[in-house]
Amino acid sequence: MLSYRHAFHAGNFADVLKHSVLTLVLDYMTRKEKGFHYIDSHSGAGMYQLADEYSQKTGEYKAGIAKLVNELDIPEALQPYIDLINELNPDSGSNELTLYPGSPAVAKRYMRRQDSTHLFELHPTDIEHLNEFCYRWKKAFVKQSDGYQGVLGLLPPPSRRGVVLIDPPYELKEDYHKAVNTIIKAYSKFATGTYILWYPVVKRDLVEAMKSAFTNKNANNNVKNLLQVEFCLSADTNEYGMTGTGLFIVNPPWQLAQQMAEVLPYLRDKLGNNESSFTVAQLIAE
Ligand code: SAM
């Protein structure tokens, strides 16, 4: 039985990176009238109460979103994400934050009548929360089943437009290669989709192995147009714990690299310290 609960981590620096990129990608997708699929392989609970025992126990959001929400010099590309947090917390100027959106709630902000949302989650408690969160959300389809299989079963979407978020807990080491392999397989079915894969920097060689799996070309791997963005709070170490976080993005919106080159130095200055660093790298050309 898996024990990971995202409620401990909601709103931390890794969520700030992941969800700010997700807002930019979804915002870009909605500039065209034609509908699209949003597929979230590992959805979590949907929405998080920051006053609950989980968030309060770790206090991770206090070193993440809480440090940004009242800043007056937010870069333009981070603003849609900050606006979403403020919409959910109308008193955030004077009070503590109370709600933090998980990836399904970020998606809900953008999805239109012509779009459809497909959410996978395995944990028995989080699936209940997710079902509650999606109650009355037409065109949101929630399944308590394996998200890796779920993604592959939905591609290509009928509209031939889609965004896939793969955000595993990495409780099992196999998640590192399973996540990349799922994108490689998904790409062979639907090469024009946008794929976002979140990863933690816990051991650098695990991230390097993911990178090699994407960039080492073979008959089954034809992935092109791969961007990597990464934000590390501190230098790599062999000690236990997450020192940084990153995303691999296949077929990003064309301005995303530039937008992240604007957002990441800001995150480093506001959330980091003198050991912090960031990367924006086009790993495979278009
Ligand atoms: N995407 C969420 C967000 O951004 O708000 C956070 C997801 S959390 C990092 C990972 C979730 O994946 C956990 O809730 C866990 O229960 C779920 N999970 C683990 N293995 C899974 C699998 N094979 N298929 C679907 N969900 C899974």
Side-chain angles (χ1 to χ4, degrees):
M1 170 70 187
L2 297 174
S3 59
Y4 181 93
R5 304 294 307 282
H6 196 66
F8 287 108
H9 311 293
N12 70 3
F13 78 104
D15 266 7
V16 169
L17 179 68
K18 173 179 49 183
H19 295 148
S20 56
V21 166
L22 187 58
T23 59
L24 293 170
V25 169
L26 294 175
D27 179 61
Y28 181 78
M29 290 300 285
T30 55
R31 288 186 203 165
K32 277 196 184 145
E33 208 40 46
K34 191 172 178 192
F36 69 97
H37 267 38
Y38 170 70
I39 308 172
D40 196 330
S41 63
H42 297 70
S43 300
M47 184 72 83
Y48 299 92
Q49 306 282 342
L50 294 174
D52 74 13
E53 55 183 313
Y54 304 100
S55 292
Q56 291 303 320
K57 185 166 179 196
T58 61
E60 288 188 19
Y61 75 96
K62 293 181 184 162
I65 185 57
K67 279 193 167 175
L68 299 174
V69 76
N70 290 321
E71 291 297 328
L72 299 174
D73 58 347
I74 298 287
E76 195 181 335
L78 195 59
Q79 196 62 54
Y81 166 67
I82 298 293
D83 287 346
L84 169 61
I85 305 300
N86 281 322
E87 281 164 27
L88 291 169
N89 297 277
D91 296 331
S92 63
S94 49
N95 285 309
E96 279 261 312
L97 294 174
T98 53
L99 287 177
Y100 185 80
S103 47
V106 174
K108 194 171 184 193
R109 161 75 180 72
Y110 287 93
M111 302 310 275
R112 308 157 299 177
R113 277 203 319 223
Q114 61 270 47
D115 306 320
S116 64
T117 302
H118 301 264
L119 305 171
F120 297 91
E121 172 55 46
L122 280 182
H123 195 282
T125 309
D126 281 346
I127 190 81
E128 265 182 41
H129 292 311
L130 186 62
N131 274 320
E132 261 169 51
F133 176 71
C134 295
Y135 178 65
R136 293 182 138 181
W137 178 5
K138 282 187 189 154
K139 302 196 74 177
F141 305 94
V142 179
K143 270 201 175 157
Q144 187 176 14
S145 62
D146 175 54
Y148 296 116
Q149 290 301 325
V151 164
L152 295 173
L154 287 166
L155 299 180
S159 62
R160 296 295 196 275
R161 300 188 74 222
V163 174
V164 177
L165 173 67
I166 300 198
D167 182 18
Y170 296 93
E171 254 183 311
L172 306 171
K173 214 169 160 190
E174 66 183 36
D175 275 329
Y176 287 89
H177 69 257
K178 234 176 162 178
V180 178
N181 284 346
T182 299
I183 292 187
I184 292 173
K185 278 188 202 152
Y187 188 91
S188 70
K189 298 179 90 172
F190 177 43
T192 53
T194 295
Y195 300 91
I196 306 169
L197 169 57
W198 179 82
Y199 65 85
V201 181
V202 177
K203 287 204 166 60
R204 177 55 64 184
D205 54 350
L206 293 170
V207 177
E208 287 303 310
M210 291 174 107
K211 225 163 120 174
S212 304
F214 273 123
T215 54
N216 290 344
K217 290 292 162 213
N218 58 50
N220 298 321
N221 173 9
N222 201 26
V223 170
K224 295 192 182 69
N225 195 9
L226 177 67
L227 179 72
Q228 180 186 24
V229 297
E230 192 174 285
F231 173 34
C232 292
L233 285 181
S234 48
D236 294 347
T237 167
N238 285 327
E239 306 288 308
Y240 179 78
M242 179 168 78
T243 53
T245 179
L247 299 163
F248 293 109
I249 306 144
V250 179
N251 294 325
W254 65 272
Q255 328 91 308
L256 189 69
Q258 182 52 43
Q259 289 171 317
M260 294 319 288
E262 186 191 333
V263 167
L264 284 162
Y266 184 82
L267 295 184
R268 181 194 54 195
D269 293 348
K270 298 289 175 178
L271 307 183
N273 53 59
N274 56 12
E275 262 194 44
S276 304
S277 62
F278 66 86
T279 309
V280 179
Q282 184 78 27
L283 297 181
I284 310 176
E286 280 186 51

